[in-house]
Amino acid sequence: MSAAVTAPTSPVFLSPQSPVFSPTAAAKTSPSSPRLLLTPELTCQARRHYRSVSDHETSLKRKRPPRLDVGAAVTTAAAWNAAEAVEETPRAEDIAVDEDGYSVYCKRGKRGPMEDRYFALVDPKGAHIQGLFGVLDGHGGAKAAEYAAMNLDRNIKEGLEQCYGEEGWMERGIRVGYLRTDEEFLKQGVRGGTCCVTALISNDEVAVSNAGDCRAVVSRHGAAEPLTSDHHPSVENELKRIEALGGYVDCCNGVWRIQGTLAVSRGIGDRYLKQWVTAEPETKTLHIKPELEFLILASDGLWDKVTNQEAVDMVRPWCVGLENPKTLSACKKLAELSAERGCLDDISIIIVHLQRFVP
């Protein structure tokens, strides 16, 4: 979702041993390189990765209200206050991260600046979180995805601490995190929104949540099992919810949209459509048994062109039965397959080797 293409820049990575962001290392980084932000409070056991690849950013009705103006994709970097002056920033082509237990690959689409983001937090000795991963697919600019990448994991962590000891505390804590991030972002007064999919690993369990059409698929002995549902306005329960709130869903050029505008019905942000677009996540929790091999989290740039089973079949030879799984290569192969099939959108993929998180 974006504009013209510039020359690709080389990704910059911290080594797996780096516990915190180094200002010295940052000073050596080219200004055109994508930013990798690590919070200083993390220990050597907790490595947190953020990647910011660019700051650019139907049913029949009797009487339909006019379409809402949610704004075009922002192509310049702006402060959170939309009224402030903006300055164009460099764009990145691809992002690649390869760590023990997971890999990330983000490929910019052909529509303009990258609007996808991701985050990853690994803490093998964490009290409530051994791993927390997220893929964010922004629309109407990258600001919502950027904000969620920087704040959703923190809010989920605080939500878990708040709900610990209650029945269903993981699901409740994740819900608090999503809704709090949405509330905080809306206060910024910035347009745009983001779909989200997250995976929380805690005490031999994995809780997968989503709001929007980013998807999570797990391999169970080689069989693809979707763990999330895509939140589109045409889905029956979403359609009923939107109409009950006074909205309408219309088909525009073959795509069903809320108020003739937005093609997803859940997500963070989208303040002009907030009456109908909820950040309420759906969560599914599984015990990590030996048959659960790996988890794929990805934006719709992958799933629009690659089926769940095709994705699992392509990843499995790179991951299962190998002492050193090549999950980054698997991520790249998936992105290449989607692009070869005509995907113009950004493609972001995280593959998590689940057995690496089981003692």
Side-chain angles (χ1 to χ4, degrees):
M1 310 173 190
S2 26
V5 178
T6 59
T9 57
S10 300
V12 178
F13 308 113
L14 296 184
S15 69
Q17 291 75 32
S18 301
V20 295
F21 179 79
S22 167
T24 305
K28 298 177 182 178
T29 301
S30 166
S32 63
S33 300
R35 293 183 288 116
L36 181 61
L37 305 179
L38 298 182
T39 57
E41 72 272 18
L42 293 176
T43 64
C44 293
Q45 291 79 27
R47 300 189 302 275
R48 184 183 193 175
H49 292 267
Y50 292 114
R51 180 66 62 169
S52 174
V53 292
S54 168
D55 284 322
H56 293 320
E57 306 217 343
T58 243
S59 59
L60 297 176
K61 293 293 162 197
R62 275 76 55 200
K63 199 169 183 182
R64 295 174 179 163
R67 293 183 184 179
L68 299 181
D69 175 18
V70 297
V74 180
T75 57
T76 54
W80 291 118
N81 185 339
E84 289 189 20
V86 295
E87 224 175 72
E88 189 156 339
T89 58
R91 305 172 200 155
E93 196 72 14
D94 298 340
I95 299 301
V97 173
D98 196 16
E99 294 284 344
D100 184 29
Y102 74 93
S103 295
V104 183
Y105 185 66
C106 303
K107 181 178 179 62
R108 186 168 67 83
K110 297 181 179 180
R111 294 174 178 168
M114 171 75 88
E115 293 179 319
D116 282 6
R117 298 291 189 270
Y118 82 92
F119 64 83
L121 167 64
V122 173
D123 185 357
K125 297 182 180 180
H128 304 317
I129 299 176
Q130 284 81 59
L132 181 56
F133 308 92
V135 170
L136 303 313
D137 182 1
H139 47 262
K143 288 303 179 183
E146 182 82 11
Y147 189 88
M150 299 293 287
N151 295 280
L152 181 55
D153 63 336
R154 169 182 57 82
N155 285 330
I156 289 176
K157 183 177 180 180
E158 291 176 358
L160 293 172
E161 293 171 350
Q162 174 184 324
C163 299
Y164 185 72
E166 301 176 8
E167 184 178 354
W169 67 277
M170 288 176 66
E171 292 84 353
R172 293 166 66 91
I174 292 167
R175 178 180 182 273
V176 168
Y178 271 69
L179 296 181
R180 187 173 293 166
T181 304
D182 182 54
E183 180 182 2
E184 291 173 353
F185 177 71
L186 292 174
K187 290 178 181 177
Q188 308 298 325
V190 180
R191 296 185 178 189
T194 185
C195 298
C196 314
V197 62
T198 58
L200 165 68
I201 299 176
S202 177
N203 301 318
D204 298 343
E205 290 188 314
V206 57
V208 176
S209 310
N210 79 310
D213 59 3
C214 293
R215 189 184 306 166
V217 173
V218 71
S219 172
R220 188 186 291 272
H221 272 326
E225 181 180 322
L227 300 181
T228 59
S229 300
D230 296 345
H231 297 134
H232 291 140
S234 56
V235 176
E236 185 177 2
N237 64 325
E238 295 294 286
L239 175 61
K240 288 180 179 179
R241 178 181 62 79
I242 293 163
E243 292 184 337
L245 294 171
Y248 75 87
V249 175
D250 200 4
C251 188
C252 309
N253 299 320
V255 179
W256 296 89
R257 300 178 183 273
I258 299 176
Q259 307 298 98
T261 301
L262 187 64
V264 291
S265 54
R266 299 196 189 196
I268 288 171
D270 297 303
R271 62 192 179 104
Y272 286 104
L273 297 169
K274 202 70 248 180
Q275 182 178 348
W276 308 286
V277 179
T278 178
E280 183 88 29
E282 289 188 328
T283 299
K284 185 171 184 178
T285 302
L286 298 175
H287 186 72
I288 304 178
K289 297 180 179 179
E291 62 264 27
L292 296 185
E293 298 166 332
F294 55 86
L295 180 67
I296 305 173
L297 307 177
S299 60
D300 66 338
L302 174 69
W303 305 118
D304 283 350
K305 299 296 182 181
V306 180
T307 69
N308 298 341
Q309 191 60 54
E310 283 178 324
V312 166
D313 290 344
M314 178 166 281
V315 171
R316 202 162 186 258
W318 297 89
C319 294
V320 178
L322 300 180
E323 184 177 348
N324 297 304
K326 302 181 183 301
T327 48
L328 179 57
S329 296
C331 285
K332 291 181 177 180
K333 290 293 184 182
L334 284 177
E336 290 168 4
L337 177 61
S338 181
E340 287 170 2
R341 291 181 174 180
C343 176
L344 303 178
D345 201 358
D346 302 331
I347 305 168
S348 293
I349 302 165
I350 299 179
I351 296 176
V352 181
H353 200 285
L354 292 173
Q355 296 305 314
R356 291 296 179 100
F357 293 88
V358 179

